């Protein structure tokens, strides 16, 4: 049976390599941008509401905050309890054009020791979980100028 790649959350990102982008939505009435995407109504309380359009978000942004995950999260997080826990870094990034903050894991190998507030990072494809049939994909943040 072939190994399949599937997004962990459908409709939140698209593309591969340099074409990889997070997908948000923009209200046509007030131009507010949302991530995660909003497909029902404008979340801006001052907007009467408009049509919501899918928009690719900025590939780059600056670190707004960061931390590390030293413990295994509870379900529904998927991990094998038989394997030792491997900590990872979490980064909150203010996107360059949209000026909204998006949370995500750092790329593998990037630790909190490598990060500073204000550092430029870019979104790259990542893997959340892999089983015998499927690789579940997500996004990662990686400092710019660092090879994958």
């Amino acid at each position: 049976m072939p190994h399949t790649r599937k997004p962990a959350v459908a409709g939140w990102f698209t593309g591969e390599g340099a074409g990889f982008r997070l997908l948000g939505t923009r209200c046509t009435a007030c131009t507010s941008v949302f991530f995660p995407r909003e497909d029902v109504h404008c979340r801006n309380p001052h907007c009467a509401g408009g049509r919501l359009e899918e928009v690719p978000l900025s590939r780059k942004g600056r670190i707004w905050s960061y931390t590390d995950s030293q413990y295994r999260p509870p379900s529904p997080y998927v991990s094998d309890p038989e394997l030792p826990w491997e900590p990872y870094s979490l980064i909150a990034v203010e996107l360059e054009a949209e000026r909204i903050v998006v949370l995500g894991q750092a790329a593998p190998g990037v630790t909190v020791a490598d990060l500073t507030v204000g550092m430029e990072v870019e979104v790259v494809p990542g893997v959340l979980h892999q089983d015998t049939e499927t690789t579940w994909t997500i996004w990662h943040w990686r400092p710019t100028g660092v090879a994958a």
Side-chain angles (χ1 to χ4, degrees), residues 97-122:
E98 297 82 5
R99 307 294 305 254
I100 60 174
V101 177
V102 175
L103 185 66
Q105 291 183 14
V110 176
T111 69
V112 293
D114 302 317
L115 305 173
T116 59
V117 170
M119 172 186 277
E120 185 179 64
V121 292
E122 62 187 337

Side-chain angles (χ1 to χ4, degrees), residues 13-98:
F13 51 88
T14 189
E16 295 291 327
F20 186 80
R21 301 291 284 269
L22 294 175
L23 296 173
T25 48
R26 176 181 291 125
C27 174
T28 57
C30 70
T31 70
S32 293
V33 176
F34 307 106
F35 185 87
R37 61 183 300 126
E38 174 59 63
D39 293 313
V40 178
H41 60 81
C42 181
R43 288 187 219 146
N44 180 346
H46 303 292
C47 179
R51 190 170 41 83
L52 296 165
E53 300 176 318
E54 181 177 274
V55 292
L57 302 178
S58 299
R59 285 190 42 79
K60 295 182 180 180
R62 299 214 172 261
I63 295 177
W64 185 75
S65 186
Y66 60 93
T67 190
D68 60 357
S69 176
Q70 291 292 326
Y71 65 92
R72 186 184 313 270
S75 182
Y77 187 87
V78 178
S79 67
D80 186 342
E82 301 297 319
L83 297 175
W85 175 248
E86 293 185 33
Y88 57 87
S89 300
L90 290 170
I91 307 175
V93 175
E94 183 177 24
L95 297 182
E96 198 167 67
E98 297 82 5

